[in-house]
Amino acid sequence: MLQKTFATIFLLAFFIRGLSQDLTASTKQPETPVSEISAPEEKTPAFTFTGSADVYYRYDFAKTRANNFTSFTNSHNSFELGMASVKLEYKNSKVGMVADLGFGKRAQEFSYNDQGIVQAIKQLYVTYAPADWIKFTAGSWATHFSYEVPDANLNRNYSMSYIFTNGPFSHTGLKADVTKGKHGFMLGIANPTDYKSVPDGQINRKFLIAQYSLAVTDNVKLYLNYVGGKSPDTSKSKSFNLVVSGKVSDKFSLGYDGHINSIQKWDGIKNQDGKSWWGSALYINVDPQSYFGLTLRGEYFSDKNQLKVFGFQPEGGNIFAATLSANFKINSLVLIPELRIDNSNKDIFIDKNSAAKSSATSLLLAAVYAF
């Protein structure tokens, strides 16, 4: 009898144990099938559309536009259209595209070597970045030279410097940008400076372009630039440019632009020894209020070899130009009243009676809108 009782208890315990295992298994959540695990979310390609427009009025105290020797403001006592720009950008993790179009006198002067609808193309290029530290660019883009840029909404002075006017505007070719920490390197080959397409029957040599950049600190950046090659007009040229920007505080910053260009003209047999021009400009930016700022540009431009401004003068010389521009910001609109005084050591300017003199003064009012 006792044996039957132990046997019954043993069988009952075994049955209860088995039942508890079945209940535990039935309440356990099943694992997610591998096929149902979602892949990492891909980054959505970014498409941006931006634009700008600028207009201006300029008055020369000598009542002539002949005293203007810099880009984009060759007028007197006239309301003028600057440029209407539209810029389309598309970018995903590795490839990108930029189409930057401009319409107006500013765009025409920027693309002075082009004809027809091509003049409206400021920039058109594609990019490929196989890794975070390297990017390839093919197409046409605004130059890496100078503190100033072609778009009025990206400059604090509206009129342009002699350095910008006489330096390169754009490059068309292929380049590679490499970044490593605070250092950046760019190297490329391009058509002759400012040529999107080289005309038939002219010398078609490629130019070497390069840049070294350094972020000295978060607020101080340095750019050393180079362009050199043989131009379609048979001359050889090489240019070096140094740009430095420094932010002292939210209300005060500085900029520097230095440029030297050497040209070897062709004498029919060989390229002659190089002759150069050079310029140096300092930008002082003060922003006492979020809606108001001032920029003073002081520039010295030397053309003793008669390569640029003094090309049609009996002898070379130099110019010192001071430009004071105010920036009044009303949302996306900026009003820029500007006073400019140019002084030369030679009588290259004229007065209202057409007599030669060494200085010229002008006033300008520009309105610039960007979105």
Side-chain angles (χ1 to χ4, degrees), residues 207-224:
F207 271 46
L208 176 67
I209 62 175
Q211 180 184 75
Y212 167 69
S213 61
L214 172 64
V216 181
T217 68
D218 291 341
N219 294 323
V220 178
K221 294 178 173 57
L222 176 151
Y223 305 87
L224 181 61

Side-chain angles (χ1 to χ4, degrees), residues 3 17 29 46 58 122 173 189 194 210 254 285 338:
Q3 290 178 345
R17 182 177 180 275
Q29 294 295 325
R58 180 177 178 272
K122 287 190 296 171
I189 56 172
D194 297 342
L254 296 169
N285 308 308
E338 182 174 286

Side-chain angles (χ1 to χ4, degrees), residues 63-85:
K63 299 182 179 180
T64 177
R65 66 179 185 178
N67 285 333
N68 178 72
F69 292 105
T70 58
S71 299
F72 309 149
T73 53
N74 190 30
S75 64
H76 162 65
N77 195 24
S78 176
F79 292 98
E80 296 285 336
L81 305 179
M83 179 171 64
S85 289

Side-chain angles (χ1 to χ4, degrees), residues 55-124:
V55 296
Y56 76 94
Y57 172 85
R58 180 177 178 272
Y59 185 87
D60 187 277
F61 279 52
K63 299 182 179 180
T64 177
R65 66 179 185 178
N67 285 333
N68 178 72
F69 292 105
T70 58
S71 299
F72 309 149
T73 53
N74 190 30
S75 64
H76 162 65
N77 195 24
S78 176
F79 292 98
E80 296 285 336
L81 305 179
M83 179 171 64
S85 289
V86 289
K87 187 176 183 180
L88 294 83
E89 297 180 77
Y90 175 89
K91 183 179 180 181
N92 63 21
S93 59
K94 290 188 177 182
V95 299
M97 176 277 293
V98 170
D100 186 5
L101 308 179
F103 306 89
K105 285 188 176 181
R106 198 178 185 101
Q108 290 175 341
E109 289 187 40
F110 176 76
S111 302
Y112 64 93
N113 276 327
D114 300 318
Q115 301 294 326
I117 192 63
V118 180
Q119 280 193 325
I121 301 176
K122 287 190 296 171
Q123 301 185 102
L124 180 61

Side-chain angles (χ1 to χ4, degrees), residues 3-18:
Q3 290 178 345
K4 289 183 178 181
T5 301
F6 279 117
T8 302
I9 293 172
F10 175 80
L11 290 173
L12 182 60
F14 182 81
F15 173 77
I16 293 173
R17 182 177 180 275

